[in-house]
């Protein structure tokens, strides 16, 4: 292995931070996020910082692909890049002037379908290919939206996805993950780290849909590739389920509870577990710190399923992961006795 892949994270981080410094005056003028029913902030704050994350990640992959030995053996990476750009464009427009939900959903579905159909590997090799791809498209569409839903606190998206992307990048450096997704994981990790100082509580800049939507697609693709090649048996699939388990559980359970209560699930709200936690007395740093710690632990459990790919180990790791996430959700849902009221995001 050459030293080129090691440049991925710092290059993307520097590009991301530099782009934010250049673009922030424009975002301040044209893309202010004003508090609404879903918001945890109280002061109008510029959004759209995610454009720097995505631009830095795409540029880093394009520049380092050949030196890093990543061969463009087909349309997979170009199609992924185009799908990411499509979602970023939709998100950028929506950040400035909200689009109809139906239009956003159609474009999201098209982008996810393109990325899934061009992806290599199989996650359910015993099932018909059309059934596997249909399932993957639906799962990917939900994942893109749940990442968007979960971007409601400062540093929340970083707490959720820095540990998984760091894990996948390290996995690739160790030769246990294909070069293409390894490079993409490192580039996204760097982009997120470059954005981190500007989104530190209390944030001076939000990510916006221009970042959260394409990040959801990139992470979904990374997990699809992991599930298809992550080890013998079901180790790769289990690892792909464990890595994003906190945001997956929070968003999915919240959606189910809202459906059960007959609420309009497409409308803005503040009923995610991480949002309820701030109303129950947890500060924003406490919430994102707890999520980050759990995501690090989940990365460790995902690694165990790959190191020891046997049914007992896989089952044990899945049970431990579910228990850990369930514990954190219950902790967020319970009011704290020593504090009252939340803080600004």
């Amino acid at each position: 292995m050459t030293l080129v892949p090691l440049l991925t994270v710092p290059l993307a981080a520097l590009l991301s931070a530099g782009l934010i410094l250049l673009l922030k005056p424009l975002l301040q003028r044209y893309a202010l996020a004003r508090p609404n029913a879903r918001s945890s902030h109280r002061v109008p704050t510029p959004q759209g910082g995610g454009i720097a994350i995505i631009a830095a990640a795409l540029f880093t992959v394009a520049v380092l692909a050949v030196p890093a030995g990543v061969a463009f053996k087909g349309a997979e990476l170009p199609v992924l890049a185009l799908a990411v750009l499509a979602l970023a464009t939709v998100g950028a427009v929506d950040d400035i002037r909200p689009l109809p939900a139906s239009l956003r959903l159609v474009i999201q579905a098209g982008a996810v379908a393109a990325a899934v159909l061009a992806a290599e590997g199989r996650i359910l090799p015993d099932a018909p290919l059309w059934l596997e791809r249909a399932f993957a498209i639906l799962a990917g569409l939900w994942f893109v939206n749940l990442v968007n839903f979960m971007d409601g606190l400062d540093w929340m998206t970083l707490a959720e996805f820095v540990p998984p992307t760091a894990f996948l990048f390290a996995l690739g450096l160790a030769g246990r993950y294909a070069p293409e997704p390894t490079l993409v994981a490192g580039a996204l990790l760097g982009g997120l780290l470059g954005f981190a100082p500007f989104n530190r509580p209390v944030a001076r800049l939000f990510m916006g849909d221009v970042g959260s939507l394409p990040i959801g697609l990139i992470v979904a693709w990374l997990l699809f590739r992991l599930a298809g090649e992550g080890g013998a048996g079901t180790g790769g699939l289990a690892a792909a389920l464990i890595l994003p388990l906190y945001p997956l559980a929070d968003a999915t359970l919240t959606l189910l509870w809202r459906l059960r209560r007959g609420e309009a699930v497409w409308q803005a709200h503040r009923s995610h577990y991480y949002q309820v936690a701030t109303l129950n007395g947890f500060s924003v740093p406490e919430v994102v710190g707890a999520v980050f710690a759990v995501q690090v632990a989940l990365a460790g459990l995902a690694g165990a399923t790959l190191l020891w790919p046997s049914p007992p180990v896989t089952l044990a790791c899945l049970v431990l992961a579910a228990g850990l996430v369930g514990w954190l959700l219950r902790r967020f849902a319970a009011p704290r006795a020593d504090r009252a009221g939340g803080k600004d995001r």
Side-chain angles (χ1 to χ4, degrees), residues 17-341:
L19 284 171
I20 287 172
L21 292 175
L22 289 174
L23 294 173
K24 192 175 179 183
L26 291 175
L27 299 176
Q28 179 77 43
R29 183 173 181 180
Y30 296 108
L32 275 182
R34 303 187 183 279
N36 57 37
R38 179 183 168 224
S39 304
S40 297
H41 67 288
R42 299 166 187 163
V43 178
T45 304
Q47 63 182 348
I51 191 172
I53 300 173
I54 300 305
L58 291 177
F59 182 83
T60 299
V61 171
V63 168
L64 295 184
V66 174
V70 173
F72 292 94
K73 298 179 294 184
E76 184 176 24
L77 284 184
V79 169
L80 176 65
L82 291 174
V84 164
L85 288 173
L87 290 188
T89 301
V90 171
V93 174
D94 199 51
D95 285 336
I96 298 172
R97 180 174 297 178
L99 296 171
S102 57
L103 176 60
R104 295 199 308 267
L105 189 63
V106 168
I107 297 175
Q108 290 168 11
V112 171
V116 167
L117 294 176
E120 296 182 3
R122 295 289 308 272
I123 57 175
L124 300 171
D126 295 330
L129 179 61
W130 68 267
L131 182 61
E132 176 196 273
R133 292 311 200 218
F135 171 78
I137 291 171
L138 290 175
L141 183 59
W142 171 231
F143 197 86
V144 165
N145 281 279
L146 77 84
V147 173
N148 179 240
F149 298 156
M150 294 295 291
D151 182 38
L153 284 182
D154 304 331
W155 269 358
M156 176 56 73
T157 299
L158 279 75
E160 292 166 344
F161 296 115
V162 164
T165 52
F167 170 81
L168 293 173
F169 185 60
L171 192 68
L173 294 180
R176 300 291 300 272
Y177 197 34
E180 294 88 351
T182 298
L183 183 62
V184 173
L188 179 56
L189 172 61
L192 290 170
L193 293 177
F195 172 71
F198 304 93
N199 192 238
R200 180 174 64 87
V202 173
R204 295 169 289 159
L205 179 67
F206 297 156
M207 181 179 296
D209 289 1
V210 66
S212 61
L213 293 175
I215 286 173
L217 178 59
I218 294 172
V219 175
W221 177 79
L222 291 171
L223 295 173
F224 182 91
R225 288 298 304 266
L226 177 65
E229 65 179 56
T234 58
L237 180 57
L241 291 173
I242 290 172
L243 282 173
L245 192 56
Y246 174 77
L248 183 63
D250 190 322
T252 303
L253 290 174
T254 299
L255 175 69
L256 294 176
W257 278 112
R258 296 192 74 213
L259 285 171
R260 183 178 179 182
R261 293 193 294 262
E263 298 179 14
V265 296
W266 56 88
Q267 293 180 353
H269 65 93
R270 290 191 62 191
S271 52
H272 285 285
Y273 286 85
Y274 73 91
Q275 293 171 318
V276 171
T278 62
L279 302 177
N280 284 339
F282 291 84
S283 69
V284 170
E286 287 172 334
V287 172
V288 296
V291 171
F292 182 84
V294 165
Q295 288 293 96
V296 169
L298 293 177
L301 292 172
T305 68
L306 299 175
L307 286 173
W308 301 285
S310 65
V313 172
T314 297
L315 179 60
C317 289
L318 287 169
V319 170
L320 287 172
L324 184 60
V325 170
W327 166 81
L328 184 58
L329 294 176
R330 291 191 63 181
R331 184 166 180 255
F332 282 168
R336 290 188 58 170
D338 57 330
R339 303 183 67 173

